[in-house]
Amino acid sequence: MISTDETPAGELPDIREPSESAIAMLDQQGTVVGWTQAAERLVGYAARDVVGRPASLVLLSCEEAPTISEFVARCRAENGWSGTTTVRHRDGHGLHVSLRVSMLWGQGAAVRWLVSVTDIGRASGEAAHGLVRESLLARVPMGIVVRDPELRCTWVNETMESHDGISRDRRLGRRFAEALPGGEGDPLESAMRQVLRGGPSKVQDHRTWLPSSPHRDHTFVASIFRLQDADGRALGVCVISVDLTESRRARDRLAILTEGSARLGSSLDVMRTSQELAELAVPLLADYVAVDLEQSVPCGEGAPLQVGPTIGRPPVFRRAGLASIRDGIPESPWGRGETVPWPAASPLMEVLRTGRPHLEPVLDTAPGTWVDHDPARARTIRENGMHSVMVIPIRARRVLLGMVLFIRTADPGPFQEVDVLLAEELVGRAALSLDNARQYLRQHTTALALQRNLLPHRLKGGTAVETASRYLPADMDHGVGGDWFDVIPLSGARVALVVGDVVGHGIDAAAAMGRLRTAVRTLADMELPPDELLAHLDDTVQRLAEADADPPDQCLAPLGATCLYAVYDPVTRRCAMARAGHPPPAVVDPQGRVAFPDLPTGTPLGVGLGVPFETVELELPEGSLLALYSDGLIETRDHDIEEGMHRLGSALAQPSRPLEDLCDRAMETIQGQASPDDATLLLVRTRTLNPAQAACWTLSGDQTAARHARHLAARQLAEWGLEDLEDPTKLIVSELVTNAVRHGSGPIGLRLIRHQVLTCEVFDTSGCSPRLRSARTSDENGRGLFLIAQLSRRWGCRSVPGGKVVWAEEELNPAPAPAPAPASAPAPVVVSPAPGGQSVLASASPPAPR
């Protein structure tokens, strides 16, 4: 009785190299007729102990197992058997072995059985893993030949004919050299004689060309064993050969996949990953490989391409990877990054419709084929000897990322289905890396677009300042952070300078920064002083934190932001500034002296301590340098803030240099140092408005003020050569002064400023802000500000000590007058002086108050 464990269907037994196996030969009834020294070492039985006796001597008994005769009948029906079983050692213990039974044929249809046994009980850990690997690689059957002492073939299995093309009838009774003339068998016969004379088992390699594949040589490994009878005499030799060609190809394929897993995806760059894929497949799988990506993949924008039968126009592909066994890659007319045209009748469209690979073992270039439709491509194919092609789609997440073209030129063998399977596996692994790179690129592109849209594209300092800036995020992978800066034009040629810092990095910090920058711009349009603006911004940050809290009753985590806000007036050369927990600005005078003004620090935004912010005013000489920055520029892990401020001051101590050069010098102070935060720098050089560009008057607050103001404005415009603006300016001035007289008390200030626009400003002592409203037909008031809004570029009001200033701006080159209004529109406005200097609207009521 014997006990066996069969290998499941479709799997191979776990085997070692044949040279490590114990070999025994059985007759048709299962009696041992030949024994080897390896078998004696494995089970402890010498040839005299087992030859002539049933094989059950060394097999353990089991009530459920069949008898030897039943097992032999089963092996005959299945032409052999393989699996695991247990054999009995001479000392009585059992050995867990891998056993393979092969049927041998002799003269007259006689049958013998060759049993190869390998001990697997002692294999564990890495050795066991090696056995499994060898089993997976050895997927081709063994060829077996038994030869007598004269080296004539006496027994052979059916597999052997596929190894060397020699039929059974031609082989039996002949030596190897006789059956395969030409001297190819001489080295192998020499090795057989050495084993036959008592030498150890040998492993001999030899190569040959098979009739089935004359263009490709096959490598065989032959393991040679000496068979003994009961007296220890040589019965002959047993030669077990394995075709290593496919095994080595399997090893190469396994090496490709293993190397692919290690190399592909080493970076989050779709172009680099595509090139790695191409280089990995050449020459192990193809002679020339091209990787073409759908155009949205390399740029990180656009809708992904879906595979299906409804595909319309061919998508645009760009060549992303190229590799060839030939220098210069002559097979590809297109370089990396170039658009690759594909004819509508090409295999590409078939792959797009079906989503399945395309295989052309023999590339057809005859007239009428898809290749013939593209003469340039056809010429390249013929010149480079392209004869076999595979097109493998790159798919991930149900999205087509691109195509991989595998072509053979020097290798005469055509692609086969097994090559398609390997290519699919390799491309599938690359697809995961490409998809990760694509997702990263899309996120990176989104982050950069967000940052570009959140930060100003161009800094407009107007006539007030000259500007330059730098931004260096701590998160270099994504390029976004929470720092921001801004230059905001204000009325009266003034300009607001802002720098802020939201705690954290990445998309979340950038989004929070965007909300704060928008809030600052909105508050700046309200013409608030720096301290009031920061107070409103602090309230905004707290409300945002409350809105983001989920659930609402949870403990709020402060948004955490700092800010410095400054307003510079080029007419007075005064700069008002306040800060909320932000580092102080650096001020460099024209002589290069650097100072950091002692501004009240203020609490960071969103803390909610209720401590008021304070505004400090500085008078800056013309040409002064003002540097607003974030703490990432002065603070590193290795140096404190004081040292960083000193480095920054030293870099800016040459204010006459161009601002771009000074920015570069300032950013060099942190090069090579580990900064835990984003680094931002806003550099401005102050300008002063020429006194001739501004005219100021003080008017009495009586009824003559409007007439006097119109006269002064007209005379000043004539001096500036702006007579074209006289009529609208006189009307604007008249309305503003009239409202000041009506609603204020005391003297009235009038100022005209000529810079990039013409600004009219009227000061009064009233704290009430004007309000634009829509007057009804029967109303006598309410149209004054409406007219100002129609005549000016923009208008507004700002608070100043002792009252307010209402202002309006006009373009220096006014647009042509509009076409006449329809009959249903109000009659045109005609201005005529009235007693007391008050303007009268001929077609409407007197000017309305605010």
Side-chain angles (χ1 to χ4, degrees), residues 426-447:
L426 181 62
V427 172
R429 299 189 184 196
L432 295 177
S433 300
L434 284 171
D435 189 55
N436 289 336
R438 178 182 72 97
Q439 296 289 345
Y440 168 80
L441 181 60
R442 292 177 71 90
Q443 294 176 7
H444 185 63
T445 302
T446 300

Side-chain angles (χ1 to χ4, degrees), residues 3 9 16 25 86 110 152 157 188 191 404 427 566 635 759 798:
S3 171
R16 294 175 183 245
M25 192 172 179
T86 304
R152 294 185 294 263
N157 72 341
L188 189 58
V404 185
V427 172
E635 183 179 16
T759 303
R798 67 177 183 268

Side-chain angles (χ1 to χ4, degrees), residues 207-558:
R207 291 187 177 184
T208 188
W209 282 262
L210 303 183
S212 58
S213 54
H215 300 293
R216 176 172 293 166
D217 64 327
H218 285 245
T219 302
F220 293 89
V221 58
S223 299
I224 308 171
F225 305 90
R226 181 174 182 265
L227 290 174
Q228 304 176 118
D229 60 11
D231 297 328
R233 293 190 300 265
L235 292 174
V237 292
C238 174
V239 182
I240 300 178
S241 64
V242 177
D243 186 350
L244 293 185
T245 306
E246 291 302 324
S247 177
R248 288 182 177 177
R249 288 178 187 169
R251 290 175 186 267
D252 292 341
R253 291 166 182 151
L254 183 61
I256 293 175
L257 297 179
T258 302
E259 187 176 358
S261 299
R263 286 177 53 184
L264 293 175
S266 59
S267 71
L268 291 174
D269 185 330
V270 293
M271 298 295 287
R272 180 176 174 182
T273 301
S274 300
Q275 184 63 26
E276 289 173 348
L277 171 60
E279 292 174 353
L280 187 63
V282 174
L284 293 178
L285 184 58
D287 300 324
Y288 162 65
V289 172
V291 182
D292 295 338
L293 297 181
E294 197 272 325
Q295 65 173 355
S296 68
V297 177
C299 64
E301 299 177 352
L305 181 63
Q306 303 291 334
V307 178
T310 58
I311 192 74
R313 295 179 56 189
V316 178
F317 286 86
R318 294 191 179 275
R319 188 132 291 176
L322 278 173
S324 172
I325 60 174
R326 303 181 182 181
D327 295 336
I329 315 182
E331 300 93 335
S332 177
W334 303 279
R336 295 184 66 204
E338 295 182 355
T339 301
V340 180
W342 281 93
S346 69
L348 173 71
M349 295 305 296
E350 176 188 347
V351 174
L352 290 177
R353 286 190 294 267
T354 64
R356 295 193 297 269
H358 173 82
L359 169 64
E360 282 191 58
V362 178
L363 183 58
D364 189 1
T365 60
T369 61
W370 72 270
V371 175
D372 185 55
H373 293 167
D374 189 344
R377 197 186 301 264
R379 183 171 57 255
T380 300
I381 290 174
R382 287 191 294 270
E383 290 175 353
N384 293 278
M386 304 181 187
H387 64 86
S388 188
V389 61
M390 295 187 297
V391 181
I392 309 296
I394 308 174
R395 294 173 298 178
R397 305 175 191 266
R398 295 175 293 182
V399 171
L400 182 71
L401 305 180
M403 302 284 180
V404 185
L405 191 67
F406 297 86
I407 290 180
R408 281 184 176 165
T409 56
D411 187 343
F415 286 121
Q416 302 175 5
E417 290 294 338
V418 66
D419 297 310
V420 175
L421 295 176
L422 175 61
E424 281 191 294
E425 178 68 21
L426 181 62
V427 172
R429 299 189 184 196
L432 295 177
S433 300
L434 284 171
D435 189 55
N436 289 336
R438 178 182 72 97
Q439 296 289 345
Y440 168 80
L441 181 60
R442 292 177 71 90
Q443 294 176 7
H444 185 63
T445 302
T446 300
L448 291 180
L450 174 64
Q451 189 77 52
R452 284 195 301 268
N453 285 281
L454 292 179
L455 292 177
H457 294 182
R458 289 185 301 165
L459 298 175
K460 299 179 180 180
T463 57
V465 293
E466 177 189 358
T467 63
S469 63
R470 291 292 185 274
Y471 171 70
L472 182 64
D475 186 0
M476 294 301 295
D477 290 336
H478 295 89
V480 295
D483 286 10
W484 89 93
F485 56 89
D486 213 343
V487 178
I488 308 171
L490 301 176
S491 63
R494 299 171 307 132
V495 65
L497 310 172
V498 191
V499 65
D501 183 3
V502 174
V503 175
H505 316 291
I507 291 292
D508 291 339
M513 173 269 286
R515 293 192 290 183
L516 293 187
R517 177 173 180 258
T518 302
V520 170
R521 277 194 159 261
T522 302
L523 294 171
D525 286 343
M526 297 173 62
E527 304 273 2
L528 297 174
D531 55 340
E532 293 185 28
L533 183 141
L534 291 180
H536 284 287
L537 187 61
D538 184 46
D539 292 338
T540 300
V541 172
Q542 294 185 55
R543 287 196 300 270
L544 290 176
E546 292 173 358
D548 292 341
D550 186 23
D553 58 348
Q554 74 176 16
C555 180
L556 297 179

